[in-house]
Amino acid sequence: MISTRLLNSVSTLAVVCTQWGDTGKGKFIDFFAEWADIIARGTGGANAGHTIKLGSKTYVFHLVPSGILRDGDGKVNVIGNGVAFDPGIFCEELAVLEREGVSFEHLKIAQNARLVLPQHILLDRLRESSADGRIGTTGRGIGPTYVDHYARVGLTVNDLLNIDSFVQKLRRNLAEKRRILKDVDPEMIRRIMHHEHLEFGAFWSAFEFLDADAIVDRYRQFGSFLHPFIWNTDQYLWDAIGKKRVLLEGAQGNLLSVDHGTYPYVTSSDCSVQGLARGVGIRDRDVDLALGIVKAFYMTRVGEGPFPTELGGETSARWCNNAEVNEAVEIERLPYVSVNDIIPFRQGVAIRRAGNEYGATTKRPRRVGWLDLPLLRYSKRHTGGDIILTKLDVLDQCDQIKICTAYRYDGLPYAIGERVFTNGDMLDTAVPNYEVLQHCTPQYETFSGWKESTTGAKSYSKLPANLRFLVRYVACAAGLNVVLLSVGPDRDQTIPV
Ligand code: IMP
Ligand code: MG
């Protein structure tokens, strides 16, 4: 099934998303896992949601690498040092795998992965509950875990193996957090500490907010259970590079990267190829081929932040971020909305339904818009020019497809480095700064749809001519090399170009 030409002389392959995540990485990691010996994750944590469909079963993983379904074939899955590792969620995922009869014998966790603790989830949720500065995070404690890492007060997975040093580091960390919590409404803290992700109050203390003894008890249990999985995975990968087939699994997407994305509306790790390599302890030059995933010919985003081509604009953004929007409630209640509706918000609702665009982690409706070439041209710098187009079948019934080919800047003068953006400027490549992006008006080209089902297509030449035209158009207009297409969630709904 996998073209040998594509992976000829490739020993280390990276698969990353060029957009805001949820482009179908899970399917392709599982797909390339057939080729790989080792599948390794290096960024993000339980904020990710990777959906894999196998036969009649659908699996959603947050922490466990998406190559786990091939464990039975002897493939090694690695959670690398760059991951924010939540042992509670990890144990829950293992329980699901066990129930489903999926083995995890060869799974390894980096001893130096960053450890998520209850205080991180509390701080994440506290910041999100203030209207000011909301990012729309997944509430999994990701940001505060990385903050502690860079502030040099974080704990690592290895601390689970040495309980005395765990206790010492935990106490120091908690002392600092309690100072921050001193000025916060205790009722708000109590409420958050009773969230299901904080075991319904198991770590809550009325006087100290966070019960150190309860945390030690639970994490001691995690330590003894997880001991056999904890490895020096950096060393393991160094030894494997160039000798074994290594598949690096990206998480989130380049536009959510803390270093390259639409800051501050990003996650707290670097989702580019470089960040991914670093997160498993290798150099990015060790990656022989990077494949960027692009959802086509629409895009999605979860959480706050600019999204120039969003269908329904502000209304959609507010509605998808849990605000009460009356007109939206009515439309969402309709049993049928057409993907050809002339009202953009309604068309967005229809595409969301057609693509089942609801968060795998938070169940939030994903914001939907047209494919944005200025953003894709920007992302290409960090993810490379070789891409996979996914979810093509979702737009099978569309009469017309719009593609954003450029922006017009419609804002007040705004300086970014040596360039000042002024009203009326045309941009063919996006800048990630939200101050500019939020005032960019997309310029569209409209194309005829293909109006036939593609889910059963077996070869590129059998795809409708209008669809093939659009694939070539995107490749040409953004300088990309399209290597694979996806027309459905199953492994065999994959077409080489
Ligand atoms: P955090 O990663 O939970 O801190 O969330 C920061 C931003 O990244 C929010 O807008 C989230 O919705 C978004 N985000 C985090 N993980 C994912 C993902 O796996 N898919 C899509 N968006 C994500
Ligand atoms: Mg996802």
Side-chain angles (χ1 to χ4, degrees):
M1 184 71 214
I2 303 174
S3 141
T4 44
R5 192 167 43 91
L6 179 63
L7 296 176
N8 206 355
S9 72
V10 171
S11 165
T12 301
L13 168 69
V15 177
V16 294
C17 160
T18 61
Q19 298 166 321
W20 284 296
D22 308 312
T23 42
K25 267 186 310 292
K27 164 178 164 167
F28 279 94
I29 297 298
D30 173 65
F31 180 82
F32 286 114
E34 184 188 350
W35 160 88
D37 302 310
I38 300 168
I39 302 97
R41 267 191 69 172
T43 51
N47 50 351
H50 294 156
T51 309
I52 303 169
K53 200 161 169 278
L54 188 59
S56 62
K57 288 208 165 143
T58 302
Y59 298 89
V60 179
F61 301 118
H62 302 288
L63 261 176
V64 168
S66 305
I68 197 69
L69 301 183
R70 314 268 189 174
D71 180 277
D73 308 332
K75 316 268 177 178
V76 177
N77 279 267
V78 172
I79 295 180
N81 73 70
V83 171
F85 182 80
D86 183 326
I89 292 180
F90 181 77
C91 289
E92 278 169 28
E93 291 192 352
L94 290 196
V96 172
L97 292 173
E98 193 152 41
R99 215 167 43 235
E100 295 287 324
V102 178
S103 77
F104 43 83
E105 233 181 280
H106 306 96
L107 185 54
K108 301 185 194 305
I109 311 163
Q111 51 86 14
N112 48 349
R114 300 89 174 86
L115 190 65
V116 181
L117 290 153
Q119 57 268 41
H120 299 133
I121 298 173
L122 170 63
L123 290 176
D124 189 3
R125 288 178 178 271
L126 265 179
R127 174 164 290 165
E128 286 292 305
S129 45
S130 75
D132 194 29
R134 246 182 71 91
I135 303 289
T137 73
T138 59
R140 299 299 175 98
I142 303 298
T145 303
Y146 286 113
V147 167
D148 274 3
H149 174 66
Y150 286 105
R152 297 160 295 183
V153 295
L155 278 73
T156 64
V157 165
N158 202 61
D159 291 316
L160 295 172
L161 303 181
N162 301 282
I163 199 69
D164 291 340
S165 87
F166 177 91
V167 172
Q168 205 183 12
K169 291 179 190 175
L170 177 76
R171 289 199 184 280
R172 197 183 60 182
N173 186 291
L174 285 177
E176 194 182 84
K177 300 295 178 289
R178 289 194 187 105
R179 281 198 293 279
I180 300 170
L181 295 172
K182 198 163 64 356
D183 299 324
V184 180
D185 171 15
E187 174 52 25
M188 182 121 96
I189 297 177
R190 192 196 65 81
R191 203 165 35 78
I192 295 175
M193 289 302 295
H194 283 76
H195 191 276
E196 62 168 306
H197 291 145
L198 287 162
E199 297 192 28
F200 306 101
F203 308 114
W204 179 67
S205 145
F207 306 107
E208 294 196 299
F209 308 126
L210 290 141
D211 182 339
D213 293 338
I215 298 175
V216 171
D217 277 353
R218 175 70 79 253
Y219 278 66
R220 190 202 305 268
Q221 289 167 1
F222 288 143
S224 49
F225 177 71
L226 295 178
H227 201 154
F229 297 99
I230 302 174
W231 278 62
N232 182 344
T233 62
D234 285 355
Q235 179 75 49
Y236 179 75
L237 276 154
W238 280 327
D239 293 342
I241 290 298
K243 301 189 193 76
K244 296 204 164 164
R245 290 169 167 183
V246 178
L247 170 60
L248 304 184
E249 171 176 9
Q252 285 82 45
N254 191 58
L255 298 177
L256 284 172
S257 162
V258 69
D259 292 324
H260 310 298
T262 50
Y263 192 90
Y265 301 102
V266 294
T267 188
S268 299
S269 58
D270 175 12
C271 320
S272 68
V273 179
Q274 299 96 308
L276 177 53
R278 183 153 35 97
V280 298
I282 62 170
R283 305 168 300 175
D284 46 339
R285 59 189 278 197
D286 294 324
V287 175
D288 304 310
L289 176 67
L291 295 176
I293 312 239
V294 179
K295 185 141 65 182
F297 298 94
Y298 69 105
M299 282 174 91
T300 58
R301 163 162 218 167
V302 192
E304 309 279 347
F307 185 173
T309 62
E310 182 164 19
L311 280 157
E314 186 62 17
T315 311
S316 159
R318 287 181 40 237
W319 165 249
C320 293
N321 283 310
N322 294 333
E324 275 296 318
V325 182
N326 289 338
E327 57 179 299
V329 177
E330 276 164 37
I331 295 166
E332 286 278 2
R333 277 208 198 108
L334 296 174
Y336 175 75
V337 202
S338 166
V339 290
N340 296 309
D341 203 297
I342 53 166
I343 299 170
F345 179 76
R346 293 169 65 116
Q347 187 175 29
V349 171
I351 295 177
R352 174 153 64 241
R353 288 185 190 174
N356 193 22
E357 297 292 355
Y358 298 87
T361 299
T362 58
K363 312 281 182 286
R364 286 179 285 184
R366 295 179 184 144
R367 300 159 64 190
V368 171
W370 294 113
L371 179 63
D372 182 322
L373 295 184
L375 277 171
L376 192 51
R377 293 185 187 112
Y378 168 77
S379 259
K380 190 182 115 177
R381 299 175 184 171
H382 311 288
T383 53
D386 295 308
I387 61 157
I388 298 173
L389 295 178
T390 60
K391 300 204 102 169
L392 292 172
D393 55 301
V394 173
L395 302 186
D396 279 353
Q397 297 313 319
C398 279
D399 293 334
Q400 292 190 322
I401 309 274
K402 285 166 82 175
I403 294 184
C404 166
T405 55
Y407 297 147
R408 193 187 60 231
Y409 178 66
D410 290 323
L412 295 172
Y414 193 86
I416 294 178
E418 74 286 9
R419 179 165 180 193
V420 180
F421 289 84
T422 46
N423 205 19
D425 279 0
M426 298 299 291
L427 285 76
D428 59 10
T429 302
V431 292
N433 309 61
Y434 83 94
E435 296 91 340
V436 168
L437 215 43
Q438 69 182 342
H439 298 300
C440 283
T441 309
Q443 311 296 300
Y444 291 107
E445 289 263 356
T446 304
F447 301 87
S448 299
W450 48 91
K451 300 286 282 181
E452 64 181 275
S453 171
T454 56
T455 52
K458 291 284 173 254
S459 72
Y460 186 64
S461 60
K462 295 274 162 50
L463 286 169
N466 284 0
L467 171 54
R468 280 183 287 144
F469 176 80
L470 275 171
V471 171
R472 285 197 303 274
Y473 176 84
V474 168
C476 253
L480 300 164
N481 172 34
V482 183
V483 299
L484 287 173
L485 305 177
S486 172
V487 290
D490 286 328
R491 283 175 188 170
D492 61 4
Q493 289 174 304
T494 307
I495 301 173
V497 178

